[in-house]
Every structure is written in structure tokens, then in C-alpha cells.
Amino acid sequence: VFNDATFLKEVQYTFVNFIALSLLIYEAKNMKIANFFIASVMVSTAVEGFVPNVPLHSSRAAQSSKRAFVAVKMAEKMDMGSDFGTAMPEKPEQTLEEKLSSAATDFIANLEGRLKEGVDAPPELEELRKSRDDNASPSELAQGIYVLMIESGMLYDEDPEDGSMSPTQFDIKANLEVPEVKAEFAYLYKYGMGLIGQNLIDIDTCKSIVKDRLIDRTGLTPEEFDKWLGY
């Protein structure tokens, strides 16, 4: 992973599946699925539709198990065998900047709306808001969304009853052998590689984010982290 050859190979492997899922997600969002984020799916974006899922500790097993297919299931629910959608006028094609700006706006609003009363948002939320308001580059917006996705998943628990979020007390380092914990870190890591595959962030930026915001939370070295995830 932190060997560039290995890292690039995994990017190429991940990119095919990432784009296939992204296409379904983008279609689903364009059809305005109500509450599409469903507590773990937070935002759509970029080239064909990039949807960060936020892993939340209190329902870790349930969130991890449905993360891989929730977007596909939502897209399937919209397929009623009707051609009504084809009769509607096509929407103007958005630019990459517009898609990412819209994605940032959706993500911010969704996260703010789910924080329990009195719970502060992570500082990365305001950083992303500023980047959006300052018309930051697509790369900066994608990076901000990715970082906020990681932090919101690492810092908060989700109430299984209403989806609201509160600060977590989950001990990551003490639970590294829990399969769902490993699955979350693998998902977040591969998500970053998907951004590389879409040319939204560069390899060095992704490696820095992974090191500072994922690896360091496990207490592992980069080499141990690779082995932990099976690379």
C-alpha cells in the first residue's frame, strides 16, 4: 500500500468496481430518492457520482454489512418498469466543479442535520464549507469531502433509532480484530483509491490522509497496517 507499485495496483483493481457502483448511485440521486443517504450514505459527487458512506461506531456491524450494497438496492427500488423517467426533459449537464460543490453542500447539510443537540461538528466541516464558498478546485473539494467523511465516521456514534450522531467512546485500537472494524478501514482506504482513479486527488495526498487519519488511529505502522488489511 505504501509501496507505490502495490498502491497503484490496488488503485487499478478498485477503480473498476468503484465506477460501476458510482454509476448506479449517480442515477439514483438524479431521480431524487428521498433520504437516499439513510444514515450511512452522505453525499454524491464528481465524475459519475461519488458517494461517501460514513461508518458509525454504535451500529458498526449493521453499517458495514450494508455499506457495499445500499446504493445498489436503492437504485433497484426506483426501477418500477416504468418509462416515465425517459419522458422527462434531460437536466443540463453539470460541470465537475458544480457536481463537487453540490456534493459538498449536501454532505454539510446532512451531517449538520444529524448531529444531536449540543454536539459540535468536526472542524473539517467548516473547512469544507469554506472551500466550497471560495470556489476551490475540484481536487480541494474532493479532498475536503474525503477528510470529512473519515472524521465524521471516526468521531461519532449513530443512534440506531433515529440516526442522530453523538461523540463516540469506541476504542479502535482495542478492537482491531473485530471484522467490522477492519472492513470499515478497508472501505475508507479503498474509497481514497477510487478518488485517485478518478484523478480527483493525487497519490501523495491520499497517502498522507490515510497515514494521518486512518493508520495513526490504529496504532499500527504503515507496514503493519498493510498486513492487517491483507496487502
Side-chain angles (χ1 to χ4, degrees), residues 26-100:
Y26 185 61
E27 280 300 312
K29 183 175 187 296
N30 276 352
M31 298 174 79
K32 295 185 178 179
I33 296 176
N35 299 319
F36 178 62
F37 297 147
I38 308 185
S40 67
V41 179
M42 299 292 284
V43 32
S44 67
T45 184
V47 178
E48 288 296 344
F50 134 125
V51 176
N53 300 323
V54 178
L56 299 164
H57 304 308
S58 65
S59 54
R60 183 176 298 274
Q63 291 296 326
S64 295
S65 66
K66 72 181 179 182
R67 182 175 302 118
F69 63 82
V70 62
V72 176
K73 289 297 182 184
M74 291 305 294
E76 287 175 352
K77 286 182 180 180
M78 294 304 296
D79 184 8
M80 306 287 187
S82 169
D83 61 355
F84 177 75
T86 63
M88 300 297 290
E90 291 186 5
K91 294 183 178 180
E93 181 67 22
Q94 286 185 308
T95 66
L96 178 60
E97 290 82 357
E98 289 171 335
K99 290 175 182 177
L100 281 164

Side-chain angles (χ1 to χ4, degrees), residues 11 35 49 66 78 92 108 110 137 153 168 176 187 195 206 212 218:
V11 169
N35 299 319
K66 72 181 179 182
M78 294 304 296
I108 290 167
N110 189 278
S137 68
T168 185
L176 293 181
Y187 170 82
L195 297 182
C206 186
D212 295 343
T218 67

Side-chain angles (χ1 to χ4, degrees), residues 87-151:
M88 300 297 290
E90 291 186 5
K91 294 183 178 180
E93 181 67 22
Q94 286 185 308
T95 66
L96 178 60
E97 290 82 357
E98 289 171 335
K99 290 175 182 177
L100 281 164
S101 179
S102 176
T105 298
D106 289 347
F107 194 7
I108 290 167
N110 189 278
L111 181 55
E112 286 183 322
R114 293 174 58 220
L115 292 172
K116 285 189 175 181
E117 184 176 355
V119 174
D120 292 331
E124 290 79 8
L125 185 146
E126 286 303 322
E127 292 170 7
L128 177 59
R129 195 198 311 273
K130 185 176 186 304
S131 294
R132 181 206 60 190
D133 293 346
D134 291 345
N135 297 314
S137 68
S139 178
E140 290 174 305
L141 287 172
Q143 179 179 334
I145 291 170
Y146 182 39
V147 167
L148 181 56
M149 179 183 75
I150 293 173
E151 293 305 308

